[in-house]
């Protein structure tokens, strides 16, 4: 083989953020690798924000998103569209990321054509098939279909080994999310947005909130938003900045419980740069996101995770992330404690970097070259 033909496939905001540094790295090796991008566009506006920021121009765009889409719709529309793309493109390997339904459908589409699958952010597990749902099953099935696993941490590698993966197919790389973060955080960042620039981050304690998990829709979100309402009503120096996910079920609930409350800013999803710089200026983060559990610890921001399980135990062990769940009283208490108890806050506001060192993309690119025999040298793995 003189040139490795890679097709990177993704569809949602977090996949795009985490694949962007890798796509750039692969496209910077034109002598040995050609890399094209196909997007399912399982997300539309939230994906486009990221493509524009990182200047990624997909060769293929399936534009599959539907309002309030079901898992069946995402899976079948992605699978059918990708079949045609793979027939035309005939890549040596399809690279997928993480655990979305796009990820699983793309792995399956590649497998049906006996095309190799490389899984980036491989090996994360909660061990509970319904939490997060459907992500735990998406990543397990993708792991089963994958030929090469790029595990972000040694813990993720160990999960794969326990499931019987061949050690020779696993490379511990760090998470590309830290590559993206390091390239984006700036001191003295100015948002260029009247709401965000109007907040006095010295005088106000800003809580950054995001929610979107399917298993939290309905009562769990109601309960979390009631806890937040109680917190802002009790603490005049607290402001909540909540960039609300585009999912109509999230938006309706957020608006009905928190809309119009003084001290609460319900805003549209932010572009990636203002969003991570907002986290960097905040007091703490409350979220059910996966990616934020990686980003906030490396910025030294305490995180309350609004879920019962996590596939990212490293920052919990390091003490920066606390599992709060979605019970109204528990979330209220955990939040209150971090607002009242300076010692507890200080213990959690500790910058830790268990997820990466900013060099994951380079390791993955070098790992691909080694796997396909373009280089003799296996790259050094990421260690904390
Ligand atoms: C999806 C992924 C989840 C990932 C999350 C990141 C699945 C099943 N879920 O969940 O793993 O953590 O993305 O955010 O793969 N919408 C828009 N515009 C957008 C994006 C979404 O209008 O740009 C609305 C649409 O009505 C869409 C709905 O949000 O139907 C839900 O999107 P979907 O991708 O199904 O679920 P997410 O919760 O975003
Ligand atoms: N993010 C963003 N704008 C926002 C909220 C989040 O760019 O308004 C970024 C965030 O920095 C992280 C990613 O989106 O990199 C997380 O995406 P999400 O929470 O939707 O998905 P998950 O990580 O749970 O799969």
């Amino acid at each position: 083989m003189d040139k490795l033909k890679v097709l990177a496939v993704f569809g949602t905001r977090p996949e795009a953020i985490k694949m962007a540094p890798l796509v750039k790295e692969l496209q910077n090796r034109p002598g040995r690798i050609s890399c094209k991008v196909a997007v399912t566009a399982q997300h539309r506006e939230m994906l486009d924000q990221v493509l524009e920021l990182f200047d990624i121009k997909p060769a293929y765009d399936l534009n599959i998103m539907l309002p309030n889409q079901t898992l069946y719709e995402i899976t079948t529309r992605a699978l059918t569209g990708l079949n045609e793309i793979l027939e035309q493109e005939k890549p040596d390997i399809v690279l997928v990321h993480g655990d979305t339904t796009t990820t699983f459908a793309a792995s399956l589409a590649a497998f049906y054509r006996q095309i190799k699958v490389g899984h980036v952010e491989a090996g994360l597990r909660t061990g509970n098939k319904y939490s997060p749902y459907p992500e735990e099953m998406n990543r397990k099935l993708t792991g089963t279909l994958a030929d090469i696993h790029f595990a972000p941490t040694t813990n993720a590698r160990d999960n794969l080994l326990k499931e019987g993966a061949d050690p020779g197919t696993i490379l511990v790389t760090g998470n590309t999310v830290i590559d993206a973060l390091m390239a984006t955080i700036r001191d003295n960042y100015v948002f260029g947005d009247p709401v965000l620039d109007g907040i006095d981050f010295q005088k106000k304690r800003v809580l950054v909130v995001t929610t979107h998990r399917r298993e939290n829709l309905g009562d769990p979100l109601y309960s979390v938003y009631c806890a937040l309402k109680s917190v802002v009503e009790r603490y005049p120096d607290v402001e909540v900045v909540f960039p609300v996910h585009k999912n109509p079920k999230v938006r309706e609930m957020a608006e009905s419980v928190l809309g119009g409350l003084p001290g609460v800013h319900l805003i549209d999803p932010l572009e990636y740069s203002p969003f991570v710089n907002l986290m960097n200026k905040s007091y703490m983060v409350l979220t059910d996101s996966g990616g934020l559990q990686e980003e906030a610890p490396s910025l030294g921001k305490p995180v309350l995770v609004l879920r019962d399980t996590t596939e990212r135990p490293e920052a919990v062990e390091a003490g920066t992330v606390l599992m709060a769940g979605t019970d109204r009283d528990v979330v209220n208490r955990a939040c209150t404690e971090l607002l009242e108890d300076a010692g507890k806050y200080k213990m959690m506001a500790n910058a830790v970097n268990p997820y990466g060192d900013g060099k994951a993309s380079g390791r993955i690119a070098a790992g691909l070259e080694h796997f396909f025999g373009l280089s003799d040298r296996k790259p050094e793995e990421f260690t904390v």
Side-chain angles (χ1 to χ4, degrees):
M1 172 184 301
D2 41 283
K3 217 179 206 192
L4 176 66
K5 210 169 157 188
V6 177
L7 184 69
V9 181
F10 48 86
T12 65
R13 168 174 68 190
E15 292 165 77
I17 290 168
K18 292 168 164 185
M19 286 296 258
L22 176 58
V23 166
K24 293 284 163 198
E25 175 72 37
L26 295 173
Q27 291 178 343
N28 260 338
R29 299 176 180 225
R32 288 187 297 246
I33 295 179
S34 90
C35 175
K36 286 190 189 170
V37 170
V39 293
T40 60
Q42 172 180 336
H43 283 176
R44 188 68 276 171
E45 309 91 299
M46 287 162 58
L47 172 75
D48 292 342
Q49 283 183 338
V50 184
L51 295 175
E52 197 174 315
L53 171 71
F54 289 98
D55 192 26
I56 290 177
K57 301 203 171 20
Y60 303 93
D61 187 334
L62 292 174
N63 198 26
I64 66 165
M65 195 192 84
L66 299 171
N68 274 316
Q69 59 204 354
T70 65
L71 297 176
Y72 299 94
E73 286 164 339
I74 306 170
T75 309
T76 52
R77 286 160 71 82
L79 194 61
T80 309
L82 286 165
N83 177 31
E84 285 170 27
I85 295 174
L86 293 178
E87 178 166 30
Q88 188 176 329
E89 195 57 33
K90 297 188 175 57
D92 297 308
I93 187 161
V94 166
L95 282 187
V96 294
H97 182 279
D99 55 21
T100 73
T101 295
T102 286
T103 310
F104 167 56
S107 313
L108 188 60
F111 167 70
Y112 281 164
R113 289 194 169 269
Q114 299 189 20
I115 294 168
K116 289 201 163 29
V117 175
H119 189 194
V120 180
E121 199 182 84
L124 277 62
R125 297 287 185 272
T126 61
N128 180 337
K129 100 189 222 194
Y130 291 113
S131 179
Y133 167 82
E135 290 82 4
E136 176 75 358
M137 197 44 72
N138 281 341
R139 58 194 170 218
K140 274 190 87 162
L141 295 169
T142 301
T144 301
L145 294 167
D147 298 277
I148 174 161
H149 312 266
F150 298 106
T153 63
T154 51
N155 180 61
R157 178 199 55 203
D158 294 346
N159 289 337
L160 292 165
L161 291 175
K162 271 185 237 149
E163 289 173 10
D166 171 356
T169 63
I170 307 173
L171 185 70
V172 180
T173 61
N175 198 309
T176 55
V177 77
I178 306 299
D179 302 18
L181 188 70
M182 285 182 171
T184 313
I185 288 292
R186 298 272 172 276
D187 289 338
N188 306 320
Y189 185 86
V190 178
F191 295 101
D193 169 288
V195 173
L196 298 177
D197 286 326
I199 297 173
D200 184 344
F201 287 88
Q202 306 303 321
K203 293 210 178 103
K204 296 281 184 179
R205 294 190 286 181
V206 170
L207 313 187
V208 175
V209 177
T210 77
T211 57
H212 71 80
R213 296 247 86 82
R214 264 182 163 71
E215 67 273 20
N216 279 350
L217 299 177
D219 290 347
L221 285 191
Y222 176 73
S223 162
V224 164
Y225 299 163
C226 288
L228 276 171
K229 184 172 178 217
S230 158
V231 168
V232 279
E233 284 171 349
R234 284 181 294 117
Y235 292 93
D237 70 325
V238 164
E239 291 204 21
V240 167
V241 182
F242 182 176
V244 188
H245 191 286
K246 285 281 180 189
N247 188 333
K249 295 194 175 89
V250 177
R251 295 180 90 79
E252 282 154 24
M253 185 68 83
E255 192 50 53
S256 81
V257 182
L258 298 168
L261 271 188
V264 176
H265 305 278
L266 297 182
I267 57 177
D268 273 335
L270 285 168
E271 288 180 19
Y272 177 68
S273 294
F275 182 74
V276 288
N277 281 287
L278 169 69
M279 273 202 292
N280 197 31
K281 289 173 188 276
S282 74
Y283 183 78
M284 63 189 269
V285 174
L286 291 93
T287 189
D288 62 11
S289 161
L292 267 68
Q293 292 178 57
E294 296 153 347
E295 292 162 339
S298 73
L299 300 173
K301 302 298 171 183
V303 184
L304 293 185
V305 176
L306 307 168
R307 293 171 46 183
D308 298 326
T309 60
T310 186
E311 57 294 282
R312 294 166 168 90
E314 294 87 351
V316 180
E317 278 152 26
T320 311
V321 166
L322 189 78
M323 301 301 298
T326 54
D327 180 86
R328 179 177 175 163
D329 295 334
V330 176
V331 173
N332 201 342
R333 261 201 310 279
C335 204
T336 303
E337 206 179 344
L338 281 169
L339 290 165
E340 292 281 343
D341 184 339
K344 168 104 186 178
Y345 179 82
K346 207 163 164 224
M347 264 167 57
M348 281 186 77
N350 189 15
V352 291
N353 250 332
Y355 297 111
D357 57 0
K359 296 179 186 161
S361 304
R363 289 192 192 95
I364 295 170
L368 279 173
E369 290 181 357
H370 178 254
F371 184 78
F372 281 94
L374 297 174
S375 127
D376 297 336
R377 208 177 59 83
K378 191 177 174 191
E380 297 230 341
E381 297 199 309
F382 166 67
T383 49
V384 179

